[in-house]
Amino acid sequence: MTDSNKVQAKPCCGTPNIDDSQGCTCTPSTVTANQSAPWIIGSTNTSVGVIPQINTQLTFQDRLGSWKSRWDIGRMDYKVTPGLYAVGKPDGASPVLVSANYKMSFDKLRQELSGPNLWILVLDTKGVNVWCAAGKGTFGTQELIQRIAQVKLAELVTHRRLVLPQLGAPGIAAHEVLKTTGFKIIYGPVRASDIPEYLAAGMNATEAMREVRFGLMDRLVLTPVELVAAFKPALIILGLLVFINIILHGSLTVYQFLGRTLLDFLPFCGAIFAGAVLVPLFLPLIPGRALAAKGWLFGLFWAGIYLKFIAPTGNGWHIATYLLLLPPVVSFLAMNFTGSTTYTSLSGVVKEMKVAIPAQIIAVGLGILLLMGQWFA
């Protein structure tokens, strides 16, 4: 073991357009990768350079970071430096696991690896998780090939196997990786929690390990970021309602004005909560497969509840207005889960959006016209 603070990288390492063949044996992305990060507990000296050794125990800071990311606080910068990391005391025969550089993905993986000695190769997915990055192409073939070369993995390990997360398969052309690098792609289990058992079984996955589940907790953990994303549009709606009520009801007392504005805002708050929280919660129970259709149905349900039990008595125009406005709001928010669920495919999402988005725009437009007609009549 070598103190990472005493290791100095040679100037040529990791520098573009510099020939590293003149005795530069360090690894560009690992000698300098996150040496000051709190989850780096040391380093190991290898034939290709100094590799950071990581802690497999999550700290309060790690858990707080994940919580903040769930609430979209610094989420786009929640990532680790791509490169090679050591777990335990790996050697040339140790397995190599591949992950994304989204820190929550990285943390989910490392917290399950307290026993084995292995390497983790982290790809530059621009801070995006494995599944989404595979769809976007950042957890992709060329990035994997380039990262293997950059960390000089062929010189470090004696085997030619890489264990990739199963959810990263859409972004990887395994035959191209094998042809270019000589490394064979092996797909591990869907969930990081199954990796210890998977490794102990000689890298043989059971059917249960291959199953992609999207249970209640899997759905609910996604809702905070959707609520935060809807916050700004909600403020815009509230601002418009305040402005309109000032014009129409400027003679009301402050309390009457606030009460009327909040009552007008209530159906939209309910629609946002329904789309971001209730639709994911009841997703398997809502008829249909398309997320937009599920959201629209639940939006009609919420509109019915509001008009029947909450809204002041109104005429047919009033009822038609909210039946037009509320369902598309819920539908649009529900569509945000298309990239997170097992209910849709890429081609299905494209087809769904071509129909759903124009329908949502038309319905909202008609609803706004009816609402303005009632306000200014």
Side-chain angles (χ1 to χ4, degrees), residues 160-356:
R160 292 296 180 266
R161 299 182 305 277
L162 297 176
V163 180
L164 273 66
Q166 182 177 312
L167 294 182
I172 302 295
H175 65 286
E176 290 187 23
V177 177
L178 178 62
K179 180 181 178 180
T180 305
T181 69
F183 279 89
K184 179 182 179 181
I185 301 300
I186 301 172
Y187 290 108
V190 171
R191 295 177 180 267
S193 57
D194 289 326
I195 288 179
E197 182 183 347
Y198 169 78
L199 294 175
M203 299 186 185
N204 290 312
T206 63
E207 290 186 9
M209 292 180 186
R210 297 293 186 203
E211 183 181 0
V212 180
R213 301 184 296 274
F214 194 57
L216 177 62
M217 291 309 300
D218 296 318
R219 301 194 298 273
L220 287 185
V221 295
L222 301 172
T223 59
V225 70
E226 300 301 334
L227 286 173
V228 172
F231 183 70
K232 289 182 180 179
L235 286 181
I236 294 173
I237 294 173
L238 180 60
L240 289 173
L241 292 174
V242 169
F243 176 74
I244 292 170
N245 280 331
I246 288 175
I247 295 176
L248 298 180
H249 308 289
S251 60
L252 295 177
T253 66
V254 173
Y255 292 110
Q256 289 174 325
F257 177 82
L258 289 176
R260 184 177 185 88
T261 301
L262 291 176
L263 186 62
D264 290 339
F265 188 47
L266 179 61
F268 299 101
C269 283
I272 291 170
F273 185 77
V277 179
L278 296 182
V279 170
L281 180 64
F282 296 105
L283 194 64
L285 304 179
I286 305 174
R289 188 173 184 86
L291 273 293
K294 285 176 175 285
W296 204 292
L297 285 175
F298 207 91
L300 287 172
F301 176 69
W302 162 241
I305 291 178
Y306 173 74
L307 291 168
K308 178 70 176 179
F309 301 105
I310 303 174
T313 303
N315 55 29
W317 291 104
H318 179 82
I319 294 173
T321 297
Y322 285 102
L323 287 177
L324 283 170
L325 280 178
L326 300 182
V329 173
V330 181
S331 175
F332 181 81
L333 291 171
M335 283 178 62
N336 287 341
F337 290 88
T338 54
S340 311
T341 78
T342 57
Y343 286 68
T344 56
S345 63
L346 179 59
S347 60
V349 170
V350 172
K351 183 178 179 180
E352 177 182 349
M353 291 178 64
K354 288 181 179 179
V355 176

Side-chain angles (χ1 to χ4, degrees), residues 124-142:
D124 184 5
T125 60
K126 315 304 180 185
V128 178
N129 66 71
V130 171
W131 194 352
C132 293
K136 294 174 181 293
T138 52
F139 191 94
T141 304
Q142 291 306 311

